[in-house]
Amino acid sequence: QVQLVESGGGLVQAGGSLRLSCAASGCTFSFYAMGWFRQAPGKEREFVAAIRWSGGTTYYADSVQGRFTVSRDNAKITMFLQMNSLKPEDTAVYYCAAGRRGASPMTGAAYDYWGQGTQVTVSS
């Protein structure tokens, strides 16, 4: 059974940085893509960033472009999200997702597996 475990969340001041990790286990196949989504209190889940496992094409939401960087470690089946210049509006629970489907990696439809989430809080 595939499991995704996020780590690296926490409390940081505005302008600071955090690095999230998402480790996949129980995999016997290659993913099509892995992605990060977030959900703030009272808001819907939104796409943050994603990476195609083959080729490494990356995708970003406009709100994080230039501040966040998504990357992967193929051997460890781990995805990372380097978050710089954090803003209070980045506060949310961040979820890792992985999928084998061919839908756009910027949509939830591309993903079959989801992690439990990690809290990121940015203070002003």
Side-chain angles (χ1 to χ4, degrees):
Q1 183 175 353
V2 174
Q3 287 190 318
L4 302 176
V5 178
E6 302 100 335
S7 61
L11 173 64
V12 65
Q13 288 188 333
S17 299
L18 283 174
R19 189 189 194 213
L20 304 183
S21 299
C22 173
S25 61
C27 308
T28 59
F29 48 81
S30 297
F31 294 122
Y32 163 71
M34 291 186 74
W36 292 98
F37 290 74
R38 67 187 182 187
Q39 187 167 19
K43 295 187 177 181
E44 293 187 353
R45 184 183 68 190
E46 64 174 359
F47 168 76
V48 176
I51 186 166
R52 289 272 297 273
W53 212 251
S54 175
T57 302
T58 56
Y59 306 81
Y60 296 97
D62 290 344
S63 59
V64 307
Q65 181 76 49
R67 299 188 297 123
F68 291 9
T69 303
V70 62
S71 60
R72 74 199 190 294
D73 181 326
N74 286 7
K76 297 181 179 180
I77 316 180
T78 300
M79 177 179 61
F80 306 97
L81 184 67
Q82 178 66 44
M83 304 186 294
N84 298 328
S85 302
L86 282 161
K87 304 176 181 180
E89 51 264 44
D90 293 319
T91 295
V93 176
Y94 283 69
Y95 297 93
C96 165
R100 304 177 64 190
R101 308 180 192 183
S104 167
M106 301 177 72
T107 68
Y111 302 101
D112 304 285
Y113 309 100
W114 294 83
Q116 294 299 308
T118 185
Q119 176 71 46
V120 171
T121 303
V122 184
S123 63
S124 58

